[in-house]
Amino acid sequence: MDEANKQVTEKSQEGEKPRDVQDRSSISRRDLLKLAGAGGVGLLLGSVGVGGVWAGTAKLAAPTASTASNADPKQVIPFYDAHQAGIVTSAQDFICFAAFDLTTVKLSEVKDLFRRWTEAAAKMTAGQPVGGEEDQQSMPPADTGEAAGLHPCRTTITFGVGPSMFDARFGLGAKRPEALADLPRFGGDSLRPEWCGGDIGVQVCADDLQVAFHALRNLTRLARGVAVLRWTQEGFQRTGGSGPAGETPRNLLGFKDGTGNPDIHDKQAMNDIVWVQPSKQPAWMSGGSYMVVRRIRMRIEVWDRSTLSDQEATFGRYRSSGAPLGAKNEFDPLALDAKNEAGQPLIPLTAHSRLAHGEQPAEKVLRRSYSYSSGIDRQTGQLDAGLLFICYQRDPRTQFVPIQQRLAKRDKLNEYIVHVGSAQFACFPGARQGGYIGEGLFE
Amino acid sequence: MDEANKQVTEKSQEGEKPRDVQDRSSISRRDLLKLAGAGGVGLLLGSVGVGGVWAGTAKLAAPTASTASNADPKQVIPFYDAHQAGIVTSAQDFICFAAFDLTTVKLSEVKDLFRRWTEAAAKMTAGQPVGGEEDQQSMPPADTGEAAGLHPCRTTITFGVGPSMFDARFGLGAKRPEALADLPRFGGDSLRPEWCGGDIGVQVCADDLQVAFHALRNLTRLARGVAVLRWTQEGFQRTGGSGPAGETPRNLLGFKDGTGNPDIHDKQAMNDIVWVQPSKQPAWMSGGSYMVVRRIRMRIEVWDRSTLSDQEATFGRYRSSGAPLGAKNEFDPLALDAKNEAGQPLIPLTAHSRLAHGEQPAEKVLRRSYSYSSGIDRQTGQLDAGLLFICYQRDPRTQFVPIQQRLAKRDKLNEYIVHVGSAQFACFPGARQGGYIGEGLFE
């Protein structure tokens, strides 16, 4: 158990209020105390991201309520931890993603921003308002208030910096990780600048959209004069309680999405796939992870005119069950060598699942995607909907890039999708109480 | 109890399957049967919209689970009813609103569209896929599939027609209701054509965003060749389970929104305010209601720089409790005549709550609004967020219009909001089994 969690547990056992929630008077506080006081520590520690994976020696806390569905809205995912939350956290129902551009050229102001953001994120993920007591009628309220009375809803806020952070402005060039190389241009990309890049990426996830919006809005407000929004995208999954617990959610093409994802409970796999190891440079990324974000527009109207067998050949899976073609159950392995009666591969050579399937474990990524629907495309009158693809990995050059190169060349799904946005961010390791996110880079 | 509900109840009591859910094989069906078979009829009838208000004589079904919060995702709001569902239904967590323009000039094709939409809406609101069994591998699937396995989530689909439906194209001019007069231009309006109007308005609401999106997408698909999307807007409220049950949700300005709304359980009030009475012309609108939709952008960044006392003076209420200024509790009456020590009105003359407060019952409307967040405004870099204001009434000319005229002239809130979209629709009465929505107008 890592230091931060140990602290919470010990204090709770002593019947004391955890430091973070002292002297607050809100429903959230009462709920937190109830949890902390009544043996609810398991719930506080329920995030699968909890447990000191960083040092590689500590034990994982027993995960509870970790299947996301029907999650308790009062559940808090601890903000201070060895790793940032929101990466190996089981996916919440909603995302508000934002890329920011810095308007300052002073590194000191960037540091201050991340200090303010850290403090605010710790409060908001605990279900508390930003700032102090609001009895100053003559001042703008520190918190914008629309989440007052709402539960923490498993909010996580995950911060990273893009390649542009290492340009001439801040003198950080020497600290740029090699793994944060510019992504190559992939065949078929139709990237639009308004959906690309950003000095800073912030992933806010929560089981309530209003709670997630509130967090992003207050972070944006705290950045005033230092950074501005470059692009944002909201997204959703089927809501936790809306289907059978633990089922793989479906994307907007109607297919289950995430079946082949590695198990976030498998500590070894997460070390192998997601977390930057201490042996790698730069040291400030040790315990962090690289995020790739792609805004993938789906040509829904075209897809909807294709036959079911075409659709299933495209994915290499049955739509209804999610099972690989020729197999019975969703989690059956892909029979990549099996042939049909005509001697053709049962799973076509161009099938998405075949090509996305990494040849080696080193090529796997942890996907954490959300569907999006953003009204209609004014030029075509069609729905602007698709997937906000997000994945985490130790090194995009050997994980996301080779997978996407294969997909870009041959994936039959390319007839129905188009990548319109792209960004990548080096997501810092977690912060400890008293420290701040990004400290290792900025100090 | 009206005819449609009586039917369900009787069949359930006989242990028979309700006709609607026969011969389906899905999780939804099993759940429905479980509900219907095990004394769950109260739940099936849980919608506050159920009960024959139309005839003005029948008793209201006892409402259960009607406070929206923590609603059972398996709950079905019956589609076939005297009134359309989604009007006096307690607000679900999400909305997908769409305005369509007809591309056909044949009334017969419009009729067919509404027949297809009625059938599909009845299925989707019951948690069933559109169309028949999907064993035809060589055909595009009848249903797009992304809601497979998800519960009904209290889905409602509400249809109306705009003033443009009565132009020269369809020969319906003589049937245009006088109450569907063009809205006057209000001071301060900054309407943009891409957020205005539409031949047809469709309000899809559900407690799950993916379920709501699925419904709207499939309706759009069924309209192919006959109608196209003109504009759409998604919206949200704080999710049912995220806060204490029954609390008034907060808008994105941080204030409780809906405190003064009439009680949807008050049958007399709903007849007085919402439902077009049989004595009024045209007959095809008897039991229907007029919907006004306004897309109201909030100048969030400006609001966030104003002081708490300014904000509270703007609304005439305290932010934290929602109580009127000078009062203690949210539902205390507005003390419109009270003065402060300086002899000034306690609730300023320009306060939103004072001006929105109808002088007479006849001026009340039933609000059913949702917050929206649609990324950033490309011109300003600020959040494009606000309120999708929706209200229902018997006659906008004597209800919405005078209220909005007062607000447009004097509301202090106008410093922080701007109306960018506007539409109105005559929402039909409900359909009976075997009939279709709009039948009274089109036949």
Side-chain angles (χ1 to χ4, degrees):
Chain A
M1 186 174 288
D2 72 277
E3 207 46 42
N5 294 322
K6 204 171 143 206
Q7 217 173 29
V8 172
T9 311
E10 284 175 2
K11 294 215 172 185
S12 305
Q13 285 167 345
E14 292 162 27
E16 246 186 81
K17 297 177 187 180
R19 196 172 73 93
D20 242 22
V21 294
Q22 253 170 350
D23 302 318
R24 310 286 323 162
S25 71
S26 70
I27 286 163
S28 307
R29 187 200 66 160
R30 289 200 308 272
D31 291 335
L32 270 176
L33 295 180
K34 227 185 296 168
L35 281 175
V41 176
L43 203 57
L44 277 166
L45 303 182
S47 152
V48 297
V50 168
V53 190
W54 192 352
T57 55
K59 282 199 299 184
L60 259 179
T64 62
S66 60
T67 50
S69 284
N70 307 311
D72 185 339
K74 297 181 185 173
Q75 193 181 341
V76 172
I77 314 267
F79 180 76
Y80 292 107
D81 201 351
H83 301 299
Q84 284 198 80
I87 299 175
V88 300
T89 306
S90 63
Q92 298 95 327
D93 291 337
F94 300 99
I95 188 171
C96 288
F97 187 88
F100 289 88
D101 278 342
L102 289 160
T103 52
T104 182
V105 290
K106 293 184 188 160
L107 185 59
S108 61
E109 291 190 343
V110 179
K111 281 187 210 181
D112 284 347
L113 173 63
F114 274 90
R115 280 200 198 96
R116 287 198 299 277
W117 273 357
T118 298
E119 192 186 342
K123 289 195 169 182
M124 292 191 290
T125 54
Q128 298 165 14
V130 169
E133 295 299 323
E134 285 163 20
D135 46 9
Q136 302 124 323
Q137 289 283 321
S138 60
M139 295 278 288
D143 187 281
T144 57
E146 72 271 28
L150 300 185
H151 297 305
C153 297
R154 301 201 309 128
T155 302
T156 57
I157 305 176
T158 313
F159 299 93
V161 286
S164 56
M165 181 63 101
F166 301 91
D167 63 19
R169 287 172 293 168
F170 306 105
L172 295 173
K175 291 189 170 180
R176 176 169 173 162
E178 286 181 18
L180 199 66
D182 290 326
L183 294 175
R185 196 188 170 284
F186 301 103
D189 272 6
S190 183
L191 302 181
R192 287 158 51 176
E194 66 265 34
W195 297 114
C196 289
D199 292 335
I200 301 169
V202 181
Q203 172 198 278
V204 179
C205 293
D207 285 334
D208 182 286
L209 185 49
Q210 182 141 339
V211 168
F213 174 85
H214 167 264
L216 182 57
R217 172 197 188 171
N218 279 275
L219 295 176
T220 305
R221 194 178 174 220
L222 286 167
R224 192 181 299 152
V226 183
V228 294
L229 288 168
R230 180 183 174 91
W231 60 277
T232 69
Q233 182 63 58
E234 293 94 13
F236 58 93
Q237 289 195 36
R238 59 89 185 89
T239 299
S242 308
E247 281 223 350
T248 309
R250 289 178 187 274
N251 61 30
L252 297 186
L253 300 181
F255 279 68
K256 295 188 178 187
D257 197 323
T259 302
N261 224 13
D263 181 3
I264 52 174
H265 303 91
D266 182 340
K267 184 184 147 183
Q268 186 61 50
M270 293 303 100
N271 274 331
D272 290 345
I273 297 168
V274 175
W275 301 124
V276 177
Q277 298 300 299
S279 59
K280 293 286 178 187
Q281 287 301 318
W284 64 265
M285 271 298 288
S286 178
S289 189
Y290 294 93
M291 178 207 300
V292 173
V293 192
R294 308 279 288 184
R295 189 179 193 268
I296 305 175
R297 167 92 182 268
M298 291 172 170
R299 302 187 203 274
I300 280 184
E301 289 82 355
V302 181
W303 177 259
D304 285 352
R305 283 195 288 264
S306 64
T307 67
L308 182 58
S309 52
D310 257 9
Q311 295 184 357
E312 294 185 334
T314 299
F315 274 99
R317 291 182 178 275
Y318 298 111
R319 188 174 84 159
S320 176
S321 65
L325 295 184
K328 209 150 182 198
N329 300 306
E330 180 186 349
F331 293 98
D332 287 347
L334 295 167
L336 295 175
D337 299 328
K339 311 269 187 205
N340 63 17
E341 287 163 7
Q344 296 298 312
L346 209 55
I347 297 175
L349 297 175
T350 57
H352 180 74
S353 61
R354 174 188 287 271
L355 296 166
H357 184 264
E359 299 297 319
Q360 326 153 32
E363 262 190 23
K364 280 189 182 298
V365 295
L366 178 67
R367 281 173 289 158
R368 213 170 182 289
S369 303
Y370 286 83
S371 294
Y372 78 82
S373 163
S374 293
I376 58 175
D377 180 328
R378 293 283 165 204
Q379 288 174 336
T380 63
Q382 300 192 321
L383 289 167
D384 179 9
L387 191 73
L388 186 68
F389 172 92
I390 294 180
C391 73
Y392 288 94
Q393 61 242 285
R394 300 204 311 196
D395 191 335
R397 294 171 300 172
T398 55
Q399 296 176 272
F400 171 76
V401 169
I403 298 172
Q404 184 55 28
Q405 279 172 330
R406 271 201 310 276
L407 292 173
K409 264 187 206 138
R410 302 176 64 190
D411 188 359
K412 188 163 152 55
L413 192 57
N414 294 336
E415 295 175 31
Y416 306 103
I417 62 173
V418 55
H419 290 237
V420 296
S422 180
Q424 60 171 335
F425 301 98
C427 293
F428 303 105
R432 297 169 188 279
Q433 292 262 8
Y436 70 93
I437 295 282
E439 197 171 3
L441 171 61
F442 299 125
E443 296 294 335
Chain B
M1 187 175 286
D2 72 277
E3 208 45 43
N5 295 322
K6 205 172 142 204
Q7 217 173 30
V8 172
T9 311
E10 285 175 1
K11 293 215 171 183
S12 306
Q13 285 167 344
E14 292 162 26
E16 246 185 81
K17 298 176 187 182
R19 196 173 73 93
D20 240 24
V21 296
Q22 254 171 351
D23 302 316
R24 310 287 322 163
S25 71
S26 69
I27 287 164
S28 308
R29 188 200 64 158
R30 289 199 309 272
D31 291 336
L32 270 176
L33 295 180
K34 228 184 296 167
L35 280 175
V41 176
L43 203 57
L44 277 165
L45 301 182
S47 152
V48 297
V50 168
V53 190
W54 193 352
T57 55
K59 280 200 300 183
L60 260 179
T64 63
S66 59
T67 50
S69 285
N70 307 309
D72 185 340
K74 297 181 185 175
Q75 192 182 341
V76 172
I77 314 267
F79 180 76
Y80 291 107
D81 201 352
H83 302 299
Q84 286 197 80
I87 299 175
V88 300
T89 305
S90 63
Q92 300 94 328
D93 292 336
F94 301 99
I95 188 171
C96 287
F97 187 88
F100 290 87
D101 278 343
L102 289 160
T103 51
T104 181
V105 289
K106 293 184 187 160
L107 186 59
S108 62
E109 291 190 342
V110 179
K111 282 188 211 180
D112 284 348
L113 173 62
F114 274 90
R115 279 199 199 96
R116 288 198 299 279
W117 273 356
T118 299
E119 193 185 344
K123 290 195 170 183
M124 293 191 290
T125 54
Q128 298 165 14
V130 168
E133 296 299 324
E134 285 164 20
D135 47 9
Q136 303 123 322
Q137 289 284 321
S138 59
M139 294 279 287
D143 186 282
T144 57
E146 73 270 27
L150 300 185
H151 297 305
C153 298
R154 302 200 309 127
T155 301
T156 58
I157 305 175
T158 313
F159 299 93
V161 287
S164 56
M165 181 63 103
F166 302 90
D167 63 19
R169 287 172 294 169
F170 306 105
L172 295 173
K175 291 190 171 182
R176 176 170 173 163
E178 286 182 17
L180 199 65
D182 291 324
L183 293 175
R185 196 189 171 283
F186 301 102
D189 272 6
S190 183
L191 302 181
R192 288 158 50 177
E194 67 264 35
W195 297 114
C196 289
D199 292 335
I200 300 169
V202 182
Q203 173 198 279
V204 179
C205 293
D207 285 333
D208 182 286
L209 186 49
Q210 182 141 337
V211 168
F213 174 86
H214 167 264
L216 181 57
R217 173 198 188 169
N218 280 274
L219 295 177
T220 305
R221 193 177 174 220
L222 287 167
R224 193 181 297 151
V226 183
V228 294
L229 288 169
R230 179 182 174 92
W231 60 277
T232 69
Q233 183 64 58
E234 293 94 12
F236 57 94
Q237 289 195 36
R238 59 91 186 88
T239 299
S242 307
E247 281 223 349
T248 309
R250 290 178 186 273
N251 61 30
L252 298 186
L253 301 181
F255 280 68
K256 295 189 178 185
D257 197 325
T259 302
N261 225 12
D263 181 4
I264 52 174
H265 302 91
D266 181 340
K267 182 184 149 185
Q268 186 61 48
M270 294 302 101
N271 274 331
D272 290 345
I273 297 168
V274 175
W275 301 124
V276 177
Q277 299 299 301
S279 59
K280 294 286 177 186
Q281 287 303 317
W284 64 266
M285 271 299 287
S286 178
S289 189
Y290 295 93
M291 178 208 299
V292 172
V293 192
R294 307 280 289 183
R295 189 179 193 268
I296 305 175
R297 167 94 181 268
M298 291 173 171
R299 302 188 205 272
I300 280 184
E301 289 81 357
V302 181
W303 177 258
D304 285 352
R305 283 197 288 264
S306 63
T307 67
L308 182 57
S309 52
D310 258 8
Q311 295 184 357
E312 295 185 333
T314 300
F315 274 100
R317 291 182 177 274
Y318 298 112
R319 188 174 84 161
S320 175
S321 64
L325 294 184
K328 208 150 183 199
N329 299 306
E330 180 186 350
F331 293 97
D332 287 347
L334 296 167
L336 295 174
D337 299 327
K339 312 270 187 203
N340 63 16
E341 288 163 6
Q344 296 298 313
L346 209 56
I347 297 173
L349 297 175
T350 57
H352 180 73
S353 61
R354 174 187 287 272
L355 296 165
H357 183 265
E359 300 296 319
Q360 325 153 30
E363 263 189 22
K364 280 188 181 300
V365 295
L366 179 68
R367 281 173 289 158
R368 212 170 182 289
S369 303
Y370 286 84
S371 294
Y372 78 82
S373 162
S374 292
I376 59 175
D377 181 328
R378 293 284 165 206
Q379 288 175 334
T380 62
Q382 300 192 321
L383 289 166
D384 180 9
L387 190 74
L388 187 68
F389 172 92
I390 295 180
C391 72
Y392 288 94
Q393 61 242 283
R394 302 203 311 197
D395 191 334
R397 295 171 300 172
T398 54
Q399 295 175 274
F400 172 77
V401 169
I403 297 172
Q404 184 55 29
Q405 279 172 329
R406 269 200 312 276
L407 292 173
K409 265 188 205 137
R410 301 177 64 189
D411 189 359
K412 188 163 152 56
L413 192 56
N414 293 335
E415 295 175 30
Y416 307 104
I417 62 172
V418 54
H419 290 237
V420 296
S422 180
Q424 60 170 335
F425 301 99
C427 294
F428 303 105
R432 297 170 188 280
Q433 293 262 8
Y436 70 93
I437 295 282
E439 196 171 5
L441 170 62
F442 299 125
E443 296 294 334

